[in-house]
Amino acid sequence: MKLGIIGAMETEVSALKEAMEVDKVVTKAGMDFYEGTLHGKQAVVVQCGIGKVNAAMCVQILADLFEITHVLNTGVAGSLNADLNIGDILVSEKAIQHDVNVTIFGYQVGTVPGFESREFTADAVMADAVADACKRANPDVNIVKGCVVSGDQFISDAKVKDYLISEFHGDCAEMEGASIAQAAVLNKIPFVVVRAISDKADGSAQMDYPTFENQAAEHCAKMVSEFVKSF
Ligand code: ADE
C-alpha cells in the first residue's frame, strides 16, 4: 500500500508533513510531493493548490511518478446539510462535479460525457476506516457519510446552496474532491474525501471561513493521521 494524501492548502497538509519521515521531496507542476513514511505506512503528502484542475493534475502525478495505490483528499468544506455544523466531519460516499453542464446534449447536469453516471463512488473500505478513525480520534465530533459536491466556485449564496442540495443532494461543497475522484477512477485507484466543515456555504460563509479554516483543516489532518495508523 502507498497512500497519496492531497490537501488544497498548506494548513490542510502541514501537520501531516510534520508527522512524516520524509525520504525525498519532488517538485512537479509547481507542487511539492513529500514522499516517505507516515506512522510506518508508505505515503506521499502534497499541497495541490485550489480548484479542480490543480487537484486532478496532482492525482495523475501521484499515479505516474509515485505509483500510489490509494488516494485520500483532506481539507475543509462548506456545509450543505443542516446536521453538519462548523467543526463536524463529512466522509465521502460519493462525489459529483456540480459545475459540469452538458445538458443541452441530453446529459444529466454534473455528468461528464464518457462516464455512465455523474456520481463517482468512494472506496467503501477506506470510507469506513476513515469514519472509524474519526470516531476514535474525537468521539465528540459529529461524523456524517455522504455526498461531496465540487466546482471551481466558493459557495457563499443561499440560493446556490439550495440548488446544490435540491439538484445533487450534496452534504458539503468544496473545490477539489470530485475532480480527485474522477482522476482516481480513470487510474483505477480507490479514493476517499474527508472534510471538516469551515462554514455554512451561505451568506455567513465569507465571515466564518477565515475564522474557522485553520482550526477545521488541522482538525481534519489529525483525523487523517489516526486513519493512517490503522489502515
Ligand atoms: N471550502 C470551504 N468552504 C467552501 C465553500 N463554501 N465553497 C467552496 N469551497 C469551500
Side-chain angles (χ1 to χ4, degrees), residues 193-207:
V193 181
V194 53
R195 296 271 175 164
I197 301 301
S198 56
D199 59 81
K200 297 284 189 75
D202 56 15
S204 64
Q206 197 183 349
M207 283 276 286

Side-chain angles (χ1 to χ4, degrees), residues 9 12 50 75-80 98 149-157 164 172-176 195-202 205-206 209 213:
M9 293 174 302
E12 294 171 338
I50 292 170
V76 297
S79 174
L80 302 175
H98 67 74
V149 296
S150 313
D152 284 323
Q153 299 160 19
F154 186 86
I155 309 301
S156 56
D157 180 320
L164 297 179
C172 76
E174 40 79 301
M175 301 176 70
E176 296 84 20
R195 296 271 175 164
I197 301 301
S198 56
D199 59 81
K200 297 284 189 75
D202 56 15
Q206 197 183 349
Y209 178 80
E213 181 214 324

